[in-house]
Amino acid sequence: MKKQLDRREFVKIGGLVTAGTAVGFGLPLLPLYRASATGEVADRSGLRWGMVIDITKCKDGCTACVDACDEENGLNLLIKPEGASDSEWDKQRPRWIREVKLKDNLTGRISTMPMMCQHCEHPPCVDVCPTGASFRRADGIVMVDRHTCIGCRYCMMACPYNARSFIHENVKFKITAAPRGKGCVESCNLCVHRRDNGGTTTACQDACQQGAIVFGDLKDPNSAVSQAMARYPTVQIRGDLKLNTGVRYTDV
């Protein structure tokens, strides 16, 4: 008779799988990285997708990037659970981009900025995932494999940007480019379906009429995003964590 593992045992084994034997289970984590002789992790890919966001161009009350993201990834198709209040649904509903307000304590100036997955080079969400469902692609995109996600939500607790959402309810409608199901975690994937089909923009970038979002290959010095980073000083949110984020902001 086969032994039935409880959740604690499964998570313990999952941690061992992630650490050393993931290839045998077909998990996507290990093939995307290469350890150097010094133990440092380096990309195999010759590119890294990322973006620069100029918050001086973000207008208070503008939701163009959020709305475009919702439509592109089918988040607008999710239905409020029966009996839930609007306030409960607003707190619970999945969001890949959130509108965050910042106040300068010295000047009192209030700025609005979009916050999404920062696509870290050293993502904490990947470090804590017991099954390898959270992984980073060779091109720098951090994603969740819904087939191996067990809904433990460790990644949500580890993310310093509160960028991940959990699907609490059964999903009735979804689009092919963004499949989802109850019990899984998800977050911004830089419109990965566009990346894999030759696209060079994201939905949020296309929707921003102010030109606040610049997307491209961070490793290409001639790309628009690299030139923007060279032209203006940019910062990482929680740069003290040394995660080397793929999303940078100007005038924060």
Side-chain angles (χ1 to χ4, degrees):
M1 180 180 295
K2 293 183 178 180
K3 179 182 178 182
Q4 183 175 357
L5 299 179
D6 62 24
R7 189 177 187 86
R8 182 176 296 177
E9 290 175 310
F10 178 78
V11 169
K12 182 178 179 181
I13 293 175
L16 295 175
V17 168
T18 302
T21 59
V23 174
F25 286 78
L27 300 181
L29 175 62
L30 296 184
L32 301 182
Y33 297 95
R34 180 183 68 234
S36 69
T38 60
E40 297 179 350
V41 176
D43 289 336
R44 288 181 176 178
S45 174
L47 61 82
R48 183 187 180 189
W49 296 114
M51 61 174 57
V52 171
I53 302 175
D54 184 350
I55 67 171
T56 64
K57 298 179 179 179
C58 292
K59 293 185 176 181
D60 186 28
C62 176
T63 61
C65 61
V66 176
D67 296 340
C69 177
D70 286 353
E71 183 174 354
E72 180 84 9
N73 298 290
L75 293 169
N76 61 327
L77 300 178
L78 295 175
I79 300 173
K80 182 177 69 174
E82 185 176 353
S85 66
D86 290 339
S87 60
E88 289 174 335
W89 175 233
D90 188 61
K91 294 178 181 178
Q92 177 178 302
R93 67 176 303 168
R95 293 192 185 279
W96 288 15
I97 302 179
R98 293 180 295 112
E99 184 181 280
V100 176
K101 291 185 182 297
L102 299 177
K103 181 179 180 180
D104 189 319
N105 291 328
L106 294 177
T107 65
R109 183 172 70 99
I110 297 178
S111 303
T112 301
M113 60 181 285
M115 176 68 71
M116 68 283 284
C117 172
Q118 300 292 289
H119 299 280
C120 310
E121 182 180 8
H122 311 291
C125 57
V126 171
D127 291 340
V128 302
C129 180
T131 67
S134 289
F135 67 100
R136 181 174 181 268
R137 297 192 352 163
D139 58 7
I141 299 177
V142 177
M143 297 180 60
V144 179
D145 185 339
R146 295 175 179 85
H147 296 289
T148 50
C149 176
I150 60 174
C152 68
R153 288 174 271 188
Y154 288 172
C155 61
M156 295 180 67
M157 292 183 283
C159 177
Y161 308 106
N162 191 25
R164 294 201 157 188
S165 298
F166 185 75
I167 304 298
H168 291 271
E169 302 290 335
N170 290 320
V171 179
K172 187 175 182 180
F173 303 107
K174 53 188 173 183
I175 59 177
T176 303
R180 57 175 46 88
K182 181 180 180 181
C184 285
V185 176
E186 59 182 43
S187 62
C188 163
N189 57 27
L190 296 179
C191 293
V192 70
H193 53 284
R194 293 191 181 193
R195 307 287 74 73
D196 294 343
N197 288 281
T200 58
T201 64
T202 62
C204 58
Q205 177 190 23
D206 290 343
C208 182
Q209 298 182 359
Q210 311 304 319
I213 301 175
V214 181
F215 175 81
D217 180 6
L218 296 172
K219 289 188 175 182
D220 179 3
N222 296 317
S223 68
V225 68
S226 293
Q227 292 179 3
M229 290 181 65
R231 191 179 305 118
Y232 306 108
T234 62
V235 299
Q236 304 177 54
I237 302 301
R238 289 304 308 273
D240 58 304
L241 297 177
K242 302 185 184 305
L243 301 176
N244 191 13
T245 59
V247 178
R248 304 296 176 93
Y249 296 83
T250 65
D251 195 49
V252 175

